[in-house]
Amino acid sequence: MVTFAACGHTTNRTSQEAGTSAGALGIITYISHDPPELCAAFMSYYIGTQRIKPSDVFVIEVDAIPEDAIRSCYERAKLPAANIHRPKPNRAHQWNEGYRIEMFHRFERLLLRRLRYTHVLIVDLDEFVLPSPQYGGQILDYLQQSPYAQRGI
């Protein structure tokens, strides 16, 4: 069992349950007051086009509106419930950019160290990484082949 301390969330996922084969890519995104269509486009691109397994996509959700439409997006993408995290900041941590960045970095370290991903991509819901066709247009291929790709910690 892994505790996502940055998010105050516990999940029963182990490194064996995550997509942790050599070269595995984990994706972290943040959903707040985003339109449901953006969630659908994000999931379609990363899970469909980039062929990232739904079990390798992690969502940090804060006050997602409208909730039913966002839930429907997760279901259509077959996103595991254990990958959706709803943090509740304490009084010392308000939802500001500094706290958000700190939370992403803690989550990233957890994926790299505890769940043994080799790469983690942190993107907003409206960000779509388009790798060079030189690498087959696939993010993971780019990360594995490019001399410019940074390796995890």
Side-chain angles (χ1 to χ4, degrees), residues 104-117:
F104 279 144
H105 286 294
R106 285 184 185 173
F107 205 165
E108 173 189 38
R109 284 191 301 274
L110 177 110
L111 293 181
L112 291 168
R113 293 177 181 165
R114 298 275 308 278
L115 294 180
R116 302 175 201 245
Y117 283 87

Side-chain angles (χ1 to χ4, degrees), residues 28-43 46 57 59 70 73-74 100 104 122-128:
I28 302 170
T29 193
Y30 177 90
I31 294 180
S32 184
H33 299 281
D34 299 293
E37 299 79 24
L38 199 51
C39 176
F42 181 93
M43 298 299 172
Y46 286 103
V57 177
V59 173
I70 295 294
C73 173
Y74 298 156
R100 182 175 167 220
F104 279 144
I122 300 172
V123 289
D124 280 345
L125 200 60
D126 62 353
E127 296 176 339
F128 298 86

Side-chain angles (χ1 to χ4, degrees), residues 1-14:
M1 178 162 43
V2 175
T3 300
F4 292 90
C7 301
H9 181 83
T10 302
T11 182
N12 291 321
R13 284 186 52 143
T14 64

Side-chain angles (χ1 to χ4, degrees), residues 52 83 108 126 139 144:
I52 306 297
N83 289 25
E108 173 189 38
D126 62 353
I139 296 169
Q144 291 173 332

